[in-house]
Amino acid sequence: MKTLAEFKASLTAEQPDGRLSVLLKSLWYDGKGDWHQAHAQVDHLGDQASAWVHAYLHRKEGDIGNADYWYSRARQIRPNISLGEEWEQLVLHFL
């Protein structure tokens, strides 16, 4: 999978492609509307990239304080864009 269009098309599948990284699996589950499964993919990870996805998920949840904590761990700043735009940017970044 190399493009955003391919990634979005994969959301019709029952399960994510087994070759996806944990970060893309998290974003895949989020794209399917399964926030809890998306969160479970990254909740136990401590690296910067996982923290970035974790931050986005807490922003989506509406827990801005927690999101800001994870953005800080990721060395990112909470973006002033829609959640959909951030999701796409994250997918593109990790593809």
Side-chain angles (χ1 to χ4, degrees):
M1 199 169 313
K2 296 183 185 224
T3 69
L4 180 60
E6 289 173 330
F7 188 84
K8 285 182 173 181
S10 79
L11 295 175
T12 62
E14 292 282 326
Q15 296 292 320
D17 185 315
R19 297 170 291 180
L20 292 179
S21 69
V22 68
L23 302 173
L24 286 170
K25 283 181 184 174
S26 176
L27 293 165
W28 188 89
Y29 282 113
D30 182 65
K32 293 279 282 185
D34 190 345
W35 185 93
H36 293 286
Q37 185 64 11
H39 187 257
Q41 302 296 307
V42 295
D43 187 40
H44 62 287
L45 303 175
D47 61 284
Q48 279 184 276
S50 298
W52 192 7
V53 174
H54 202 164
Y56 156 78
L57 290 169
H58 282 293
R59 177 177 173 238
K60 184 171 187 177
E61 178 190 33
D63 188 348
I64 300 304
N66 200 2
D68 285 344
Y69 166 79
W70 288 104
Y71 281 116
S72 175
R73 294 267 318 256
R75 296 192 178 133
Q76 299 288 328
I77 296 171
R78 179 173 20 106
N80 189 22
I81 58 175
S82 73
L83 289 165
E85 289 172 303
E86 185 178 10
W87 182 87
E88 287 185 352
Q89 285 182 0
L90 287 165
V91 169
L92 287 168
H93 181 81
F94 294 115
L95 280 175

